[in-house]
Amino acid sequence: MALDEASTALLGAFAQTGAKPLHEQDVQDVRAGAAMAVQMSPRGPEVDEVIDHEVAVSGGSIVVREYLPEAPTAAIVFYHGGGWVLGSLDESDLFARTLADRLNAVVLSVEYRLAPDHRFPVATDDAWSAFLWADAHVRDRRSALPLVLFGESAGGTLAAVVAQRAERENGPRARAQILAYPATDSDFERASYVDPANQLMLSRDSMIWFWNHYADLGQRADPAASPIRAEGLTGLPPAIILTAEHDPLRDEGEEYADRLAAAGGVVAARRFRGQMHGFASMVGVLPGAADALDYIAEHLAEVLAAPEGERA
């Protein structure tokens, strides 16, 4: 199936800007362009309150931004995408507000530290510290709310790693993990990586660029960098996994879903036809984003309504 019309039009608009491919740009230039784009983005749904919390992490602190809807039924710990190099709370604001509104959940958006200034495993450690803080925060202030992990792209990697670590270390248990087109491996030779039809907003070359900024070659097989390489995947929370048809990360995301299911996990997984990497958070730009949110809302509601761990 070909890329859908809206995605094709968006790529055409980007091409007309004459911008160089991501992997040919400097990190600071890419970040500056993303920050400028935020100024032109819509604000998103209103929520009752937005609060920034300073959370202690090894070697410093990070900010977790809390979005409060009127009567939440869950608390979502959200890790943004951006290849562990890009992304910020402000860039994630529209999507975080949309999640709070559409899923009727408190959203705790995590501003983990970015590479190359903070290389692996800093982001994973920050993600874990934020999860521990969120668990304590929810128990202290919103004791009835189940905790949910949600990560997009590189944030999906972090969510998967946190879920694994919580099981391994007998830490807090999330009721669900939502992984949108996660990076679960560092293998650039999978079929979806080399398919010419998948070299779009995210390409094989740009993923190599991200990994080179993020982790040394000798670190990439570590399950904390490539969660698909963990020896065991039993006992993990129910997973809701979204992949995009035209995405270099498609195959590793789908393989991770298969491995979770083979380990006895509860998994709902869907490949979104005609979509490219990043589509789920392109609210108001790509119709596929609304479809993704409907899918997440449906399956998250099933998980939360069922006895813990039974359905996704």
Side-chain angles (χ1 to χ4, degrees), residues 151-183:
E152 184 192 20
S153 190
T157 315
L158 299 179
V161 168
V162 167
Q164 289 184 13
R165 184 169 176 178
E167 172 62 21
R168 186 173 65 250
E169 299 185 7
N170 197 28
R173 180 176 174 85
R175 282 290 299 276
Q177 54 178 324
I178 305 169
L179 313 178
Y181 30 83

Side-chain angles (χ1 to χ4, degrees), residues 21-231:
L22 176 67
H23 62 276
E24 295 179 8
Q25 296 188 57
D26 178 82
V27 169
Q28 298 305 323
D29 289 341
V30 180
R31 288 177 180 170
M36 187 177 299
V38 170
Q39 306 300 319
M40 298 180 286
S41 298
R43 179 175 172 80
E46 291 297 327
V47 295
D48 275 11
E49 194 173 6
V50 178
I51 307 168
D52 282 357
H53 302 274
E54 186 172 348
V55 175
V57 295
S58 177
S61 64
I62 60 173
V63 175
V64 174
R65 182 168 292 171
E66 182 174 20
Y67 296 82
L68 295 163
E70 185 174 347
T73 57
I76 294 173
V77 183
F78 175 69
Y79 305 107
H80 65 72
W84 315 282
V85 175
L86 309 174
S88 68
L89 293 178
D90 289 342
E91 290 168 43
S92 305
D93 183 74
L94 171 59
F95 193 46
R97 288 174 177 274
T98 302
L99 292 177
D101 179 67
R102 181 66 180 84
L103 302 180
N104 194 31
V106 173
V107 173
L108 301 165
S109 185
V110 180
E111 190 157 55
Y112 56 90
R113 289 172 290 181
L114 300 175
D117 309 272
H118 302 280
R119 292 173 64 85
F120 175 83
V122 172
T124 60
D125 291 341
D126 286 357
W128 175 249
S129 295
F131 179 61
L132 295 180
W133 174 87
D135 176 64
H137 179 69
V138 167
R139 282 188 286 106
D140 288 346
R141 297 182 58 187
R142 310 177 210 293
S143 58
L145 294 183
L147 203 60
V148 175
L149 289 163
F150 190 152
E152 184 192 20
S153 190
T157 315
L158 299 179
V161 168
V162 167
Q164 289 184 13
R165 184 169 176 178
E167 172 62 21
R168 186 173 65 250
E169 299 185 7
N170 197 28
R173 180 176 174 85
R175 282 290 299 276
Q177 54 178 324
I178 305 169
L179 313 178
Y181 30 83
T184 66
D185 203 0
S186 52
D187 178 2
F188 308 129
E189 303 306 323
R190 293 176 185 269
S192 60
Y193 252 104
V194 299
D195 187 341
N198 297 345
Q199 312 309 308
L200 304 171
M201 289 188 72
L202 183 74
S203 66
R204 181 179 184 273
D205 285 339
S206 56
M207 278 304 301
I208 293 172
W209 183 86
F210 282 128
W211 274 102
N212 286 343
H213 284 301
Y214 179 53
D216 298 339
L217 287 173
Q219 298 173 314
R220 297 180 189 180
D222 188 324
S226 297
I228 203 169
R229 303 196 185 203
E231 290 186 5

Side-chain angles (χ1 to χ4, degrees), residues 95 99 103 150 178 180 240 242 272 280 291-301:
F95 193 46
L99 292 177
L103 302 180
F150 190 152
I178 305 169
I240 302 167
L242 290 64
F272 285 76
D291 193 14
L293 286 167
D294 287 345
Y295 182 81
I296 292 168
E298 175 188 351
H299 289 283
L300 181 58

Side-chain angles (χ1 to χ4, degrees), residues 250-276:
R250 183 195 67 211
D251 289 354
E252 65 198 71
E254 294 176 358
E255 183 182 337
Y256 192 63
D258 290 343
R259 287 201 57 203
L260 288 172
V266 179
V267 180
R270 176 179 163 187
R271 178 189 294 186
F272 285 76
R273 304 289 180 179
Q275 300 303 310
M276 62 182 175

